[in-house]
Amino acid sequence: MRAIQITSLGGPDAIELNDIEAPSDDAAVVIAVRAAGVAFPELLQTRGQYQIKPELPFIPGSEVAGDVISAPADSGLRPGDRVAALPFLGGFAEQVTAEPQYTFALPDTMSYEAGASFMFNYGTAYFALVERGGLQAGESVLVHGAAGGVGTAAIQVAKAFGAGRVVAVTSTDEKGRIALEAGADEYVLAEGFKDAALTGGRIDIIVDPVGGDRFTDSLRCLAEDGRLLVIGFTGGEIPTVKVNRLLLNNVSVVGVGWGAYALSRPGHLQKEWKAMLPHIESGALAPIIGHSWPLAEAAQALNALDQRQATGKVVLTV
């Protein structure tokens, strides 16, 4: 089979498309990959900058969708079933294996591209807003980085699970329009976002995958009992907080480490998938696909992330 391999740590342009032996594992689901999601961890892996550092050479790719080739008898899956899966490695290939607990039956209405764009971003957003943030019906939500994969997912999850006003924060008007397409009620530009966001009242929950220098102004946007959800630091800088602000205003900063939490609890990802499935089937949760490239052009997909050109979810098609 064909697969993208990281054979050196020279960045996206150093990856290779090679012919290798197809995987086989009687205890796992073997999947013919139709689409694979592309995310920042894969970009970091091309430079050896991600916390998980497999021995070279290896196949990146954590999230896929495709057709079952074979599956354990007790998995509930059969050859030909359409699935999404989290193999965590190996997804940038024509075939991959995944554990049954990390494999999810796709509804007929969901495309392979959407399936390969779903669980990381929407699982993160669901965990952040519902499980960690305790989102209540009618609460207001502000989303930073709202045109990206996590951002658009957070907008849709907030709306699907009962949020009232959802405010998107984006760096440009073009990205603001993408956030509106995802379901945000309004968008404000990142520069001076605090004053614009507060025109509709203070915010109950803030979703922050960006970090950096907007963190303090985010705290200032919170209503009493508000929660700032720390998801990541795509802005590059890890902010600090003066905890007297939390005390004086009765607000919380909440860490959101979805991967470590979910993977240490067998069955947790299936529970999240089942909670979101009715909203997938209704169309309320529908990934915004930014751009797709064929497998052989994986370097271009990774470079789009590296150069901050990507909006929505980037995917490879196989």
Side-chain angles (χ1 to χ4, degrees), residues 12 14-15 26 46 54 64 96 133 143 150 155 177 181 185 200-201 208 213 222 239 242 250 274 281 309 312:
I15 64 175
D26 291 340
T46 67
V64 303
V96 72
V143 180
V150 171
I155 291 168
R177 289 188 285 272
E181 180 186 349
D185 295 296
D208 185 9
D213 57 9
L222 286 173
K242 294 184 177 179
N250 287 296
K274 289 176 182 177
E281 294 174 332
Q309 296 173 344

Side-chain angles (χ1 to χ4, degrees), residues 167-182:
V167 181
V169 180
T170 62
S171 58
T172 67
D173 290 314
E174 179 184 3
K175 291 182 177 181
R177 289 188 285 272
I178 291 169
L180 294 178
E181 180 186 349

Side-chain angles (χ1 to χ4, degrees), residues 109-178:
T109 55
M110 195 175 206
S111 69
Y112 292 119
E113 289 82 1
S117 304
F118 191 83
M119 199 58 194
F120 272 127
N121 288 338
Y122 285 79
T124 296
Y126 177 85
F127 180 65
L129 284 161
V130 178
E131 298 186 77
R132 296 289 290 144
L135 174 66
Q136 300 297 308
E139 286 192 313
S140 57
V141 175
L142 182 145
V143 180
H144 286 291
V150 171
T152 53
I155 291 168
Q156 293 183 358
V157 169
K159 280 293 190 179
F161 287 87
R165 177 182 177 229
V166 176
V167 181
V169 180
T170 62
S171 58
T172 67
D173 290 314
E174 179 184 3
K175 291 182 177 181
R177 289 188 285 272
I178 291 169

